Amino acid sequence: MFTNKFKLFSISLIAVWVVLLVKNVDIPIYFGTDAQFVGFSKLLTYGNFIALASAIMIVIALLSLHQLNHRLQGSPDTLKNTLTEVSDRSVEYVNVLATVVTLISVILVPTETLRDFIVFLLLMTVISICFMRTNLYYSNPLFAVLGYHIYTVGSESNKLPKGSIAISRKRLIVGDKVVSYHISDNVYSLDK
């Protein structure tokens, strides 16, 4: 249903989705004996719309993470390839941290009025497009927290061409035999 790139994008921003959900959800709750339903008009707010969208993205991210973790345990895209080139690029996690801090600051934009809501949507759209178009989704520090490493790899096979970007939970060295799962463009998930 969703592209692999979108799935990794949703995983890489899961912390943002959680913060947006907590910040914006506004459901009046009262547990007294005289409790009554407040009506849908109190629930249909800009903040609750953002909270609902964030909850949906959290579910998509968790399902995508589950699929990413278990994808290579099934049938891989190809037979095992022998790595002929491996270069660790995990330092990119630090470089993208500034982008994540910028994204977190966007979350602080108020969303009470229609104008604020539109500004928030425009900022999130621009940031999302930048993440998706520049392939920054794979170098998000959240993947480091989840135990993934970034590599530039190459093999003799066309299924894993030289200069490919790989994310892997395992440490990779030249000569390792790996199975690959194509995510998008030149980005792959590898497992030994």
Side-chain angles (χ1 to χ4, degrees), residues 22-82:
V22 171
K23 176 188 176 281
N24 289 294
V25 70
D26 184 23
I27 300 174
I29 298 174
Y30 175 67
F31 293 110
T33 57
D34 59 340
Q36 57 182 315
F37 182 60
V38 295
F40 285 110
S41 62
K42 297 271 188 199
L43 299 176
L44 297 175
T45 64
Y46 299 120
N48 281 341
F49 176 76
I50 292 171
L52 177 63
S54 297
I56 291 169
M57 290 304 295
I58 290 168
V59 169
I60 291 170
L62 292 174
L63 290 173
S64 299
L65 184 60
H66 176 74
Q67 182 185 25
L68 178 65
N69 286 335
H70 295 284
R71 173 66 172 104
L72 292 172
Q73 292 177 2
S75 58
D77 290 346
T78 63
L79 298 174
K80 286 193 171 193
N81 292 310
T82 302

Side-chain angles (χ1 to χ4, degrees), residues 139-157:
S139 58
N140 193 302
L142 179 64
F143 283 114
V145 171
L146 295 173
Y148 285 91
H149 307 279
I150 303 173
Y151 297 97
T152 302
V153 298
S155 74
E156 294 174 356
S157 169

Side-chain angles (χ1 to χ4, degrees), residues 5-16:
K5 187 184 247 188
F6 179 78
K7 290 175 185 177
L8 249 63
F9 165 74
S10 68
I11 295 168
S12 69
L13 294 182
I14 196 166
V16 172

Side-chain angles (χ1 to χ4, degrees), residues 4 7 67-68 70-81 157-161 165 178-191:
N4 292 327
K7 290 175 185 177
Q67 182 185 25
L68 178 65
H70 295 284
R71 173 66 172 104
L72 292 172
Q73 292 177 2
S75 58
D77 290 346
T78 63
L79 298 174
K80 286 193 171 193
N81 292 310
S157 169
N158 289 336
K159 295 289 185 176
L160 190 60
I165 304 297
V178 295
V179 290
S180 64
Y181 174 59
H182 183 249
I183 294 170
S184 69
D185 304 326
N186 67 333
V187 181
Y188 296 83
S189 177
L190 302 182
D191 195 18

